[in-house]
């Protein structure tokens, strides 16, 4: 069936169903493998429940009990019949105790370092590695050697060589490695992918993708925070935006052949500090009340990003004490940061498909913006909703997160992607079938290589070929 015939038939079906009193929104075109694309109707792409059914709970050990570790471990709280946390390792005793208490982990399975965990007899089906970026490689290699399947927080590793080593190690020991490219699992991006696959856009010619970091998020994570140094973690194109490179590769469905990048650290530099600005915002800065990056304003007044402090409560006095003693209280112009605060890449994929990606710190909002240009249609989206425009009929269809998502997705992070990824990972481990995952380790490494080549291009000021 060609595209025009499909649209005609689906339009007739919709009218007939309406006359018969059938709930059209509940109907899907799964038999055709296509979403519902009818003029004036919501684009209907079925959303799978987050709960999964497995013969017995998959067991997991957490390596890194911080924010991301706690987030993914939440799946075991929601669906204990599917996942059970049976061990944890973290150098922070408070985080380790909290993880142990939350999941009733025996004391002998709480480890102060991942080396201790891997010296112990294998105690779980799988390991989640959610340590800082620079500490992904070593525990991942050891986990694979020990016989664990691995759920690995992105980015995979700080260097291209280490990424390739992890790929080779996974294949050597025949283990499943899933990278936390959680956007692939979010209903919004699944719906985008389904529309692309339907053929309604024709051939994809170009994609524009923008990641607005949000000004205070930039200050928190990439100026003051643990990702502030590209040398100690990974370049921001990977630390923040390997999600985006992965999404571009996934939507286009063809390998990237060349990439060119520009970017720099424009604002958050010593020479841009206002006159008289002290090392810390708590040291009586004369500009504090008018600075949008004030630590006092971000953490104390607005109480944003306070998860970084591991506090029992968001108490102003406790937060103030943390601002006096940790990097989060430092003036953004007096930090040891080097990450770019703006970054632009141009990519050419196979068959001369092009894409551009922009990452920018200076926005009042987060949430990725996308435009997909095809030979027969156009999509524009903001992370919560997207509109499809059909060139032939001039009709439009809208997918909207608030309308289409199930109730259990409402508070699942990254647009539902966090818990949806955990569902698919549990299913894949239970069945020992990596094809149940949206992304293979090979695909994840490929998009990481794109990031490394982008950084090579940015530094050399030359277009770089991308080769797997």
């Amino acid at each position: 069936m060609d595209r025009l015939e499909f649209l005609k038939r689906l339009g007739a079906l919709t009218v007939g169903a309406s006359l018969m009193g059938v709930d059209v929104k509940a109907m899907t075109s799964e038999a055709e493998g296509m979403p519902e694309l009818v003029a004036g109707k919501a684009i209907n792409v079925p959303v799978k429940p987050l709960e999964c059914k497995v013969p017995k709970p998959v067991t997991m050990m957490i390596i890194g009990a911080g924010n991301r570790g706690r987030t993914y471990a939440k799946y075991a709280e929601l669906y204990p019949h599917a996942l059970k946390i049976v061990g944890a390792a973290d150098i922070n005793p408070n985080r380790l105790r909290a993880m142990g208490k939350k999941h009733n982990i025996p004391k002998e399975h709480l480890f102060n370092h991942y080396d201790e965990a891997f010296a112990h007899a294998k105690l779980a089906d799988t390991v989640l590695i959610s340590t800082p970026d620079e500490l992904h490689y070593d525990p991942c290699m050891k986990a694979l050697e020990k016989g664990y399947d691995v759920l690995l927080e992105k980015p995979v590793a700080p260097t291209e060589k280490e990424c390739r080593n992890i790929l080779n190690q996974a294949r050597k020991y025949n283990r499943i490695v899933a990278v936390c490219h959680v956007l692939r699992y979010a209903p919004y991006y699944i719906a985008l992918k389904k529309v692309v696959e339907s053929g309604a856009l024709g051939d994809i010619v170009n994609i524009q993708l923008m990641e607005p970091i949000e000004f205070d998020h930039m200050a928190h994570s990439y100026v003051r925070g643990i990702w502030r140094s590209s040398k100690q973690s990974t370049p921001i194109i990977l630390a923040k935006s390997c999600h985006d490179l992965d999404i571009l590769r996934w939507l286009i469905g063809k390998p990237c052949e060349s990439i060119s990048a520009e970017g720099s650290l424009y604002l958050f530099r010593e020479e841009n500090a206002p006159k008289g600005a002290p090392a810390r915002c708590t040291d009586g800065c004369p500009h504090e009340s008018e600075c949008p990056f004030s630590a006092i304003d971000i953490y104390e007044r607005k109480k944003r990003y306070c998860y970084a402090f591991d506090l029992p409560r968001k108490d102003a006095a406790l937060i103030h004490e943390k601002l006096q003693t940790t990097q989060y209280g430092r003036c953004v112009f007096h930090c040891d940061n080097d990450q770019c605060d703006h970054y632009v890449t141009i990519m050419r994929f196979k068959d001369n498909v092009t894409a551009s990606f922009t990452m920018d710190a200076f926005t009042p909002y987060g949430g990725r913006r996308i435009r997909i240009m095809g030979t027969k249609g156009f999509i524009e989206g903001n992370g919560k909703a997207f509109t499809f425009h059909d060139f032939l009929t001039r009709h439009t269809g809208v997918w909207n997160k608030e309308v289409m998502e199930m109730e259990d997705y409402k508070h699942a992070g990254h647009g539902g992607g966090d818990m949806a990824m955990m569902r698919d990972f549990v299913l894949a481990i239970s069945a020992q079938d990596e094809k149940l995952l949206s992304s293979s380790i090979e695909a994840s490494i490929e998009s990481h290589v794109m990031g490394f080549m982008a950084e090579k291009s940015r530094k050399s000021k030359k277009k770089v070929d991308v080769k797997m």
Side-chain angles (χ1 to χ4, degrees):
M1 183 191 309
D2 65 23
R3 173 174 166 274
L4 184 56
E5 178 62 21
F6 167 75
L7 290 172
K8 287 178 179 177
R9 282 179 57 179
L10 192 54
L13 178 64
T14 303
V15 172
S18 299
L19 291 174
M20 291 184 291
V22 177
D23 182 2
V24 176
K25 188 173 283 189
M27 298 171 61
T28 70
S29 52
E30 284 188 290
E32 297 289 343
M34 301 176 78
E36 183 180 305
L37 296 169
V38 185
K41 296 291 183 181
I43 295 172
N44 186 9
V45 177
V47 179
K48 293 193 295 183
L50 291 179
E51 183 176 7
C52 71
K53 295 181 180 180
V54 291
K56 63 177 182 177
V58 168
T59 55
M60 174 178 279
M61 179 165 60
I62 307 290
I63 306 296
N67 181 52
R68 297 311 293 166
R70 292 191 297 270
T71 294
Y72 298 133
K74 186 179 179 182
Y75 194 84
E77 299 174 49
L78 296 171
Y79 310 111
H81 58 279
L83 179 68
K84 182 174 177 60
I85 309 301
V86 298
D90 200 295
I91 61 173
N92 184 313
N94 294 328
R95 291 178 177 176
L96 190 61
R97 276 194 300 270
M99 183 67 73
K101 183 177 180 180
K102 177 74 73 174
H103 295 279
N104 297 312
I105 301 172
K107 287 186 178 180
E108 61 269 24
H109 292 170
L110 294 174
F111 306 99
N112 297 316
H113 194 278
Y114 62 78
D115 279 339
E116 296 177 17
F118 295 129
H120 193 281
K122 186 171 181 283
L123 57 86
D125 300 314
T126 184
V127 166
L128 164 65
I129 297 175
S130 50
T131 47
D133 295 0
E134 69 275 13
L135 294 175
H136 286 179
Y137 178 73
D138 189 46
C140 185
M141 294 292 280
K142 289 177 177 176
L144 292 169
E145 185 177 11
K146 191 76 175 181
Y148 288 101
D149 293 314
V150 175
L151 179 60
L152 180 59
E153 180 58 290
K154 60 85 187 169
V156 169
T159 69
E160 180 185 353
K161 183 178 185 299
E162 289 174 334
C163 287
R164 293 184 184 276
N165 286 349
I166 287 174
L167 170 60
N168 293 335
Q169 187 88 326
R171 294 300 167 239
K172 176 182 177 180
Y173 290 103
N174 194 29
R175 304 317 313 168
I176 295 173
V177 179
V179 179
C180 297
H181 280 142
V182 294
L183 296 185
R184 281 178 174 244
Y185 299 86
Y188 170 85
Y189 286 100
I190 290 173
L192 271 179
K193 177 70 169 172
K194 290 295 184 183
V195 174
V196 169
E197 288 178 336
S198 75
L201 284 165
D203 296 331
I204 291 182
V205 178
N206 183 44
I207 297 182
Q208 297 173 356
L209 180 60
M210 175 191 180
E211 182 176 16
I213 294 181
E214 194 170 4
F215 70 98
D216 57 353
H217 185 188
M218 180 73 193
H220 169 72
S221 294
Y222 305 100
V223 179
R224 295 183 173 112
I226 59 175
W227 295 285
R228 66 187 181 275
S229 169
S230 63
K231 300 175 184 63
Q232 293 177 11
S233 58
T234 49
I236 198 167
I237 188 66
L238 285 161
K240 185 73 176 80
S241 301
C242 66
H243 277 315
D244 303 274
L245 301 177
D246 177 68
I247 286 294
L248 286 171
R249 172 65 178 86
W250 185 51
L251 289 175
I252 291 171
K254 298 175 182 179
C256 181
E257 296 181 335
S258 68
I259 194 165
S260 179
E262 294 283 353
S264 68
L265 176 57
Y266 181 88
L267 179 64
F268 304 105
R269 306 162 64 95
E270 191 83 29
E271 58 266 32
N272 292 329
K275 186 176 180 180
R280 288 184 177 275
C281 298
T282 53
D283 291 345
C285 177
H287 310 283
E288 189 277 321
S289 64
E290 57 192 32
C291 177
F293 308 105
S294 161
I296 293 173
D297 188 53
I298 292 172
Y299 302 105
E300 277 192 53
R301 298 191 189 108
K302 295 175 180 172
K303 293 183 170 55
R304 285 170 61 80
Y305 313 110
C306 291
Y307 58 78
F309 302 135
D310 290 318
L311 294 172
R313 60 188 183 280
K314 292 182 180 180
D315 182 274
L318 292 176
I319 294 171
H320 191 80
E321 182 181 340
K322 290 291 185 180
L323 297 185
Q324 291 177 314
T325 57
T326 70
Q327 72 266 28
Y328 294 104
R330 296 169 69 180
C331 171
V332 291
F333 302 103
H334 295 311
C335 290
D336 55 339
N337 59 300
D338 68 354
Q339 298 281 26
C340 295
D341 52 23
H342 62 127
Y343 207 111
V344 179
T345 63
I346 304 294
M347 290 153 274
R348 177 176 54 79
F349 291 77
K350 185 179 179 181
D351 298 327
N352 289 317
V353 178
T354 56
S356 61
F357 170 65
T358 301
M359 180 217 76
D360 209 301
F362 307 108
T363 63
Y365 50 77
R368 293 161 171 88
R369 271 58 176 166
I370 194 167
R371 291 175 177 148
I372 306 177
M373 279 65 75
T375 55
K376 297 180 180 179
F378 170 82
I379 284 178
E380 187 165 25
N382 64 6
K384 294 182 179 180
F386 66 82
T387 302
F388 163 70
H389 302 262
D390 185 279
F391 294 160
L392 178 64
T393 65
R394 298 279 179 165
H395 292 155
T396 62
V398 177
W399 187 94
N400 188 291
K401 176 177 183 286
E402 300 303 322
V403 173
M404 301 306 298
E405 284 190 9
M406 291 182 176
E407 186 62 32
D408 56 353
Y409 278 81
K410 293 296 185 183
H411 303 292
H414 286 96
D418 287 349
M419 293 299 101
M421 179 200 67
M422 289 301 298
R423 173 201 60 214
D424 286 8
F425 182 72
V426 167
L427 288 169
I429 300 304
S430 180
Q432 281 296 289
D433 184 359
E434 68 176 7
K435 292 179 181 178
L436 295 175
L437 296 163
S438 173
S439 178
S440 66
I441 182 62
E442 284 88 355
S444 294
I445 297 302
E446 183 179 348
S447 60
H448 275 61
V449 170
M450 290 165 60
F452 289 118
M453 294 304 101
E455 190 67 357
K456 182 177 180 180
S457 170
R458 185 184 73 83
K459 289 182 174 180
S460 68
K461 299 188 181 302
K462 296 179 180 178
K463 182 190 289 188
V464 174
D465 290 337
V466 180
K467 298 178 181 179
M468 280 300 292

